[in-house]
Amino acid sequence: MKTFIAALTLLISISSTVYAGDLITAKGKTLGRDNHSFIYEEKDACKTCHVNAKKNTNDAACVECHGTISTIDIDTSRLVNAHANPHKSVHYGEAISCIACHAEHKVKAPLCSECHRTWFKEM
Amino acid sequence: MQGRRNFLKLSAGAAVGSLAATLPSTVQANTCHEINWDETFDVIIIGSGFAGLSAAINLKRSGIKSVLVLEKMMQFGGNSAINGGWFAVPKNPIQLSQGILDDSPEELVNDQVTAGRGMASKEHLQAIANHALDSYHLCVDSGVKFREGFNMLVGGHNKARAIRTVDGTGGEITRNLYQVAKNEGGDLRLQQYVEDFVMDGNRIIGLKVRSGFRYPNLSTGEITHIKTNKVVIATGGFAMNKQLCNLLDPSIDPTMDCTNAKGATGEVTLTAMSHGAMPVHMNMIQTGHWGSPDEGGFGWSNALLSITFHEGMIASVLDGNRFMNERLDRKYCSDRILAQRNPDNTPAYPIAFFNYNDYPNDDRVVRALRDEMAWKVDSIEELAAKFDVDASALKASITLHNKHVENREDPLFGRLMDTAKHLTPPFVVSRIWPKVHYCMGGLKTDVDGRVIGSKNLAPLPNLYAIGEATGGVHGVNRLSSCACLEGLAGGFIVSKTINTDMEV
């Protein structure tokens, strides 16, 4: 799988922008992102993100494949206004985890939308 | 440090299981338990806002080897990250360039003592104000940019001394301080929920932490125990804890939203109280009558209403009439706004409006309309229809108000009409409802940041608190631009204190 992830990382780094994947039925009753379907084919799929236990996770696996918040470009033409770039937030900069805004198994409204209610939708 | 064992006498409540709870208290207090410590740090700071980050940087710079910052949320910065970026600094360079040369920390403290109406601690405020310039330089040296030439007189201050970050948020400070704290060797971690203190008598010796916690689900993460010499509580206020706010001040009802970040729930303050820390002024909870139900956080409402309160009017959606003097203080206005209820007791959010054509390009209006927390309406009929108000009643109410504007006299509520304007559509309209904003109360500390115990009114060994988590500093009313100062200055104060206490 590592090789595959490395290949995918390369693929992502070549394309200038990435999007959060669509939520699909990934495995059994588990929902997951369509761009992660290759992970769900693995035997120890859960351990990709839930390294120690299912109740415990952080964004280490996200960063391993996708890079950090400051290296992942966003399609700014899709933003509601110039201030609404969540990867260049004046409030957080790099001081934020991917999973503050992104969820793998359910739709989630980004943190920004707690205050800026018209800026983002659940994704 | 994995697997290191300590045999301890634990006081009641801390890491003592249900079995211990069934034993007589004398036995419980002396029961020996062993704890497998997962890690050890010289100092642990709980919270990563202005106070926590400043403390981390100051402690590292003072030579403390291992400093751990625990943040329970998935982002650093706490409520400070969504703060408005106003910062009171007597003798700041912009103030001096404006020719204001007679300000001083003492002048600021005098203003704060007046606002505190006899309940503020002059000694604490002075200790904090003495570090205003240090705090300012910490920001600037960390990469924070303040608005050029911008130094304002804000409410309750007798001098212009409030500067503001370029980005208009305290997040500019926390995101930069985070980088500095990290670069200088601080260990900063997200998703760490402090469940309890581990005590040896009245002395804190470690923390029980739910690591990998995903807010707000307390069944997530795994329990770890971290041993430490000193704990700094920098967890902010509890304004987001509706149950606690309502217990302390029943006038804060559940319909009121809050300006704070979601994590401002105060459980570490409660944990400290359960281990003997003394709380003060807990019922002094600052609310703002300038909130809007159509946005989160502090939002744009306050700035928009700075126009409405003077030039516009506020009407009930129940009968179209004005119901208060729009220019009086927060308590008077809050009470009257909160009385606006539908028959089923749900809020009947009043409508606040002024002439659009006077401010079409004003930033306060543009962003409010853009983000749909305010709307432009072209006629009184449109206004009435949008908010389901009786159109003829609303029209009569506006006509009456315009007569009062003409006469420069408000016989209904005695409002000072010097700034009132004749109202004619199109209007900018927003809805209002009070919000909870700031907790003046919290843990009592000595002037150096040591948490005071309730048993003997002496410091609880190894336990410190700074920032909004502390109480009794501001008294009845915290002035604008002083929370940022308090948090940042607290980091300087507690670092010095911890170094002093470590030498003893």
Side-chain angles (χ1 to χ4, degrees):
Chain A
M1 190 174 73
K2 288 271 179 198
T3 332
F4 195 59
I5 289 174
L8 192 84
T9 310
L10 189 69
L11 201 74
I12 290 165
S13 61
I14 291 167
S15 64
S16 61
T17 55
V18 289
Y19 307 106
D22 288 329
L23 195 62
I24 57 166
T25 305
K27 193 177 197 175
K29 285 180 182 171
T30 306
L31 300 177
R33 302 291 168 173
D34 61 353
N35 57 333
H36 293 160
S37 43
F38 72 97
I39 295 173
Y40 291 93
E41 288 162 15
E42 297 286 324
K43 192 169 160 234
D44 284 335
C46 302
K47 287 190 172 172
T48 309
C49 304
H50 302 280
V51 178
N52 293 325
K54 275 197 180 175
K55 286 181 174 179
N56 197 347
T57 194
N58 56 33
D59 69 350
C62 316
V63 172
E64 191 185 331
C65 279
H66 295 278
T68 66
I69 189 167
S70 45
T71 61
I72 300 171
D73 284 334
I74 284 211
D75 180 358
T76 50
S77 70
R78 295 182 4 153
L79 300 175
V80 64
N81 68 61
H83 301 289
N85 187 337
H87 284 201
K88 290 189 167 57
S89 163
V90 294
H91 300 287
Y92 300 107
E94 295 176 22
I96 187 166
S97 165
C98 305
I99 60 176
C101 300
H102 299 277
E104 173 64 18
H105 304 302
K106 60 179 182 187
V107 292
K108 183 167 179 171
L111 178 69
C112 323
S113 63
E114 283 176 12
C115 293
H116 303 286
R117 291 179 189 173
T118 59
W119 288 14
F120 301 96
K121 291 188 173 66
E122 286 187 334
M123 58 185 186
Chain B
M1 295 302 154
Q2 196 78 24
R4 180 170 170 178
R5 288 176 173 217
N6 284 60
F7 294 86
L8 302 162
K9 288 177 182 177
L10 295 177
S11 68
V16 177
S18 55
L19 175 67
T22 63
L23 299 170
S25 60
T26 46
V27 176
Q28 186 182 359
N30 294 306
T31 306
C32 283
H33 286 262
E34 64 183 80
I35 289 192
N36 287 311
W37 296 108
D38 296 291
E39 289 179 281
T40 302
F41 283 84
D42 292 329
V43 182
I44 302 179
I45 298 159
I46 315 173
S48 68
F50 295 137
L53 294 172
S54 171
I57 293 169
N58 276 291
L59 283 160
K60 281 304 293 179
R61 288 180 181 175
S62 75
I64 304 282
K65 284 205 175 65
S66 60
V67 175
L68 176 65
V69 177
L70 299 177
E71 168 57 55
K72 76 176 169 194
M73 305 302 277
M74 299 173 188
Q75 63 280 354
F76 291 103
N79 196 48
S80 305
I82 62 164
N83 149 295
W86 294 87
F87 181 11
V89 186
K91 294 200 177 300
N92 75 70
I94 305 164
Q95 186 190 48
L96 297 178
S97 74
Q98 289 174 341
I100 303 165
L101 306 174
D102 58 348
D103 199 12
S104 64
E106 287 75 17
E107 283 284 316
L108 167 61
V109 171
N110 285 340
D111 289 344
Q112 293 179 293
V113 166
T114 303
R117 292 175 177 81
M119 298 296 278
S121 164
K122 194 170 184 178
E123 295 72 25
H124 285 75
L125 290 168
Q126 190 65 54
I128 291 163
N130 288 344
H131 285 290
L133 271 178
D134 294 334
S135 302
Y136 168 78
H137 288 299
L138 171 65
C139 290
V140 172
D141 295 345
S142 302
V144 177
K145 302 258 189 300
F146 291 98
R147 296 179 180 194
E148 253 177 67
F150 186 98
N151 178 66
M152 298 281 282
L153 179 72
V154 293
H157 293 261
N158 84 84
K159 291 197 165 39
R161 59 167 76 98
I163 56 174
R164 198 175 187 203
T165 60
V166 166
D167 288 332
T169 173
E172 182 168 353
I173 297 173
T174 50
R175 67 169 208 258
N176 280 294
L177 294 190
Y178 161 78
Q179 291 294 350
V180 171
K182 203 172 96 170
N183 293 345
E184 298 190 8
D187 190 338
L188 298 96
R189 300 181 189 173
L190 294 173
Q191 299 176 256
Q192 311 295 322
Y193 182 94
V194 174
E195 286 215 337
D196 209 347
F197 299 169
V198 184
M199 306 292 289
D200 180 8
N202 68 346
R203 176 181 300 269
I204 189 166
I205 55 166
L207 295 173
K208 179 187 175 192
V209 179
R210 185 169 285 278
S211 179
F213 167 68
R214 273 172 284 155
Y215 173 88
N217 188 347
L218 276 170
S219 72
T220 55
E222 293 169 293
I223 297 300
T224 60
H225 291 90
I226 311 176
K227 193 168 186 268
T228 187
N229 295 316
K230 311 279 175 195
V231 171
V232 180
I233 299 171
T235 45
F238 50 83
M240 262 292 174
N241 188 332
K242 284 192 179 197
Q243 188 188 5
L244 180 58
C245 286
N246 189 253
L247 278 173
L248 295 162
D249 178 354
S251 74
I252 295 174
D253 75 63
T255 65
M256 286 169 72
D257 200 353
C258 176
T259 63
N260 284 204
K262 281 197 171 158
T265 44
E267 58 277 344
V268 174
T269 299
L270 298 176
T271 301
M273 285 163 60
S274 79
H275 292 292
M278 191 169 88
V280 285
H281 299 180
M282 292 291 278
N283 63 326
M284 293 183 187
I285 300 168
Q286 196 171 60
T287 61
H289 63 292
W290 31 251
S292 157
D294 298 305
E295 62 181 348
F298 189 88
W300 311 134
S301 184
N302 179 289
L304 191 68
L305 291 169
S306 67
I307 305 173
T308 328
F309 289 148
H310 280 274
E311 301 183 11
M313 67 178 263
I314 294 174
S316 167
V317 294
L318 302 170
D319 57 14
N321 292 327
R322 283 177 63 227
F323 56 88
M324 65 176 188
N325 177 342
E326 290 89 340
R327 289 184 56 185
L328 288 192
D329 64 79
R330 69 173 80 207
K331 177 66 180 156
Y332 163 94
C333 289
S334 275
D335 288 348
R336 277 148 193 83
I337 296 167
L338 286 170
Q340 294 289 313
R341 302 280 176 156
N342 295 310
D344 64 355
N345 209 37
T346 55
Y349 300 126
I351 48 175
F353 51 95
F354 59 89
N355 297 337
Y356 170 80
N357 287 334
D358 295 333
Y359 294 94
N361 302 314
D362 190 291
D363 193 38
R364 290 170 291 182
V365 171
V366 172
R367 66 190 183 189
L369 296 177
R370 180 197 69 194
D371 292 347
E372 296 172 54
M373 62 72 57
W375 299 267
K376 183 184 169 222
V377 291
D378 292 321
S379 66
I380 295 173
E381 288 73 20
E382 190 187 340
L383 176 62
K386 185 167 177 62
F387 298 100
D388 201 18
V389 193
D390 183 299
S392 56
L394 186 59
K395 201 163 224 172
S397 169
I398 294 172
T399 305
L400 180 66
H401 178 67
N402 279 337
K403 256 189 206 140
H404 299 156
V405 173
E406 210 172 298
N407 298 335
R408 292 280 174 230
E409 197 183 343
D410 172 26
L412 295 178
F413 303 102
R415 167 174 156 188
L416 197 60
M417 298 296 265
D418 55 342
T419 50
K421 283 197 173 172
H422 183 93
L423 293 172
T424 179
F427 296 134
V428 176
V429 55
S430 63
R431 304 196 296 174
I432 58 170
W433 202 252
K435 285 188 181 183
V436 183
H437 186 46
Y438 187 88
C439 298
M440 273 75 71
L443 302 174
K444 183 67 185 172
T445 65
D446 70 8
V447 75
D448 301 314
R450 298 179 188 91
V451 172
I452 301 295
S454 56
K455 182 103 172 172
N456 54 8
L457 304 186
L460 293 170
N462 298 345
L463 189 60
Y464 306 82
I466 50 175
E468 192 182 349
T470 67
V473 175
H474 299 278
V476 174
N477 197 10
R478 175 201 60 101
L479 290 183
S480 169
S481 70
C482 293
C484 179
L485 167 62
E486 183 183 7
L488 295 171
F492 286 86
I493 293 168
V494 82
S495 171
K496 192 176 166 204
T497 308
I498 284 176
N499 277 282
T500 305
D501 291 356
M502 279 182 165
E503 284 163 17
V504 174

